[in-house]
Amino acid sequence: MSQEDYYQVLGVTRDADADEIKKAYRKMALQHHPDRSSEPGAEDRFKLINEAYAVLSEPERRKRYDRYGRGEAPSNPFEGGGVSQSDLQDIFGHDMFNELFASLFGQRARPPRRDVEVTLELPLALVLTGGASSVRVRRKVTCATCKGHGTKDGRPPQPCGTCRGTGQVRVQRGFLVIAQPCPACQGRGVDLRVPCGACYGAGGTQEEVTVEVTTPAGVETGQVLRVAGEGDQVGGAAGDLYLRVQVLPHERFEREGLDLHHTLELPFPKLALGASVSVPTLEGREVRLKVPAGSQPGQVLKLRGKGLPSLQGRAVGDMLVTLEVVVPKAMTAAERELVVALDALQAGEGAGEGAGGGAGGGAGGARRAPLGGVRGWLIRLLGGAA
């Protein structure tokens, strides 16, 4: 074993306090644990890290080390006054302690809860208000045939003779004792040589259920909602259900954060002359929108407070209305003549023709008649009010 200084092993200074030493040990132990690291010498490094912590975490042993240096290192720092089980649980937490160290103290790792994740599709209108929704979920439940025992006769199985019911066998690696799944029972801890015909010894079967959930207003695509106890129902505590939200597209509105975008098609006269028009909202009602005279295609008008709420309900977005002009796809001959006349007027040609027609008399006057009423005709043609 290396004679490297214990403080250097943990990467701390000689005046480091107990919390600094504990944090450094946790970091180094996770990095060099043989079950996590594939680097050569990880096992020896892990042993040295534990020896260092066993000495520096105890005030009296640290004082002796600071004064006399390293003495005879313990063969196992988890025994004989070294690092205790409660120390490790405090440093790593219960779940990680089970994963890394439970076998060293003769414990069997607690089976994890089995969570289930599904996609929850929500209409945009439900994002506005929040409320009840439902989702189909496939999950595992206790087998009704064997009552979760996994045996053909439905009785509790006998403990595995190889691992004595622990589900694990120990493999010696130097001073470490590493737990591995028992090869005889595949980690179950029981003898299932005659398994249940319905679940094949798994103790559970698949079911599809409808779960009712309540979604908050303002939820967004990609967010995850948790429903406690609605995951798999086999073994230990029931798992949880995680719902990954997918907000569905809307035919009229497009979402951008808290704002809603809506395209409003209007005839030319309403853009040119201005108007008060009805605009649909996500609630299914309509509100009035004032279109200023001279509005242009592509111009955006805002309806404040008609967007979506934030998830916390502290803010509300707006509705942004983009104006577009509607152009008739087909016109009668008279309508076409009026549009041509308007085009001529806007190009400055109509004024000259009007002056000449007035001097020329009858026939010219007949040709000029549509020009005099072009405004009213055009408004009626394109859908505006005269």
Side-chain angles (χ1 to χ4, degrees):
M1 182 59 63
S2 168
Q3 294 299 310
E4 187 177 347
D5 181 80
Y6 283 152
Y7 291 99
Q8 294 178 357
V9 170
L10 297 182
V12 296
T13 61
R14 300 188 74 85
D15 59 352
D17 60 24
D19 287 338
E20 291 178 286
I21 292 174
K22 181 185 294 186
K23 290 178 182 178
Y25 167 67
R26 185 182 192 279
K27 177 182 177 181
M28 300 298 290
L30 289 175
Q31 181 179 347
H32 295 283
H33 193 284
D35 287 348
R36 291 189 162 208
S37 176
S38 59
E39 295 182 4
E43 181 179 318
D44 290 338
R45 191 67 182 175
F46 184 66
K47 177 181 178 181
L48 182 58
I49 290 166
N50 284 291
E51 286 180 3
Y53 183 70
V55 172
L56 300 184
S57 62
E58 293 187 9
E60 291 302 320
R61 296 182 71 183
R62 182 177 179 182
K63 287 180 181 178
R64 291 196 300 270
Y65 174 77
D66 289 342
R67 189 168 184 176
Y68 302 111
R70 290 176 61 171
E72 184 179 353
S75 61
N76 188 339
F78 302 112
E79 296 177 354
V83 185
S84 68
Q85 174 179 342
S86 60
D87 289 336
L88 293 172
Q89 287 180 329
D90 177 60
I91 295 171
F92 294 95
H94 186 74
D95 291 339
M96 192 168 292
F97 166 81
N98 275 345
E99 177 185 344
L100 300 180
F101 299 101
S103 63
L104 299 176
F105 295 92
Q107 297 182 6
R108 182 181 177 187
R110 184 178 57 184
R113 292 190 307 180
R114 298 174 177 87
D115 299 329
V116 176
E117 180 177 318
V118 299
T119 298
L120 174 63
E121 295 184 339
L122 294 178
L124 188 58
L126 194 60
V127 176
L128 176 68
T129 60
S133 186
S134 61
V135 61
R136 297 290 292 174
V137 177
R138 285 187 60 82
R139 65 187 182 189
K140 291 181 180 180
V141 295
T142 300
C143 176
T145 302
C146 66
K147 300 178 178 60
H149 296 304
T151 56
K152 183 176 181 179
D153 58 8
R155 295 178 181 177
Q158 296 297 313
C160 171
T162 301
C163 64
R164 298 182 181 180
T166 64
Q168 299 174 334
V169 293
R170 298 182 182 186
V171 178
Q172 187 77 30
R173 294 183 182 175
F175 86 99
L176 287 175
V177 181
I178 304 299
Q180 294 181 346
C182 174
C185 65
Q186 287 77 51
R188 295 190 181 99
V190 293
D191 185 352
L192 288 177
R193 284 176 290 184
V194 186
C196 169
C199 66
Y200 304 101
T205 56
Q206 291 280 348
E207 73 166 6
E208 186 169 342
V209 296
T210 298
V211 177
E212 301 295 331
V213 298
T214 301
T215 58
V219 69
E220 298 185 36
T221 292
Q223 291 181 331
V224 178
L225 308 177
R226 173 177 169 268
V227 184
E230 292 293 348
D232 286 347
Q233 311 289 309
V234 179
D240 296 332
L241 173 64
Y242 289 89
L243 305 173
R244 188 168 295 277
V245 175
Q246 176 68 48
V247 180
L248 299 174
H250 194 280
E251 60 180 357
R252 287 186 170 184
F253 302 99
E254 183 176 341
R255 179 180 189 174
E256 183 180 8
L258 300 183
D259 295 332
L260 293 175
H261 290 264
H262 175 68
T263 299
L264 181 64
E265 296 182 339
L266 293 174
F268 166 74
K270 292 189 182 296
L271 296 180
L273 304 176
S276 177
V277 298
S278 294
V279 178
T281 62
L282 194 55
E283 302 101 309
R285 301 193 298 269
E286 293 195 349
V287 295
R288 303 300 295 182
L289 174 66
K290 183 178 180 180
V291 180
S295 295
Q296 302 297 308
Q299 185 173 336
V300 178
L301 304 179
K302 181 183 293 185
L303 287 170
R304 294 191 178 277
K306 294 301 179 181
L308 298 171
S310 65
L311 190 60
Q312 296 80 18
R314 298 174 182 174
V316 179
D318 303 320
M319 184 190 297
L320 304 177
V321 181
T322 301
L323 302 178
E324 296 293 345
V325 66
V326 180
V327 179
K329 293 183 178 180
M331 295 181 288
T332 65
E335 291 169 344
R336 180 175 177 79
E337 183 180 356
L338 289 171
V339 173
V340 170
L342 176 62
D343 182 54
L345 284 174
Q346 291 179 337
E349 300 172 4
E353 290 183 7
R367 286 193 301 273
R368 293 192 305 273
L371 295 178
V374 67
R375 180 178 180 276
W377 276 86
L378 189 61
I379 291 174
R380 286 192 291 275
L381 166 65
L382 298 179

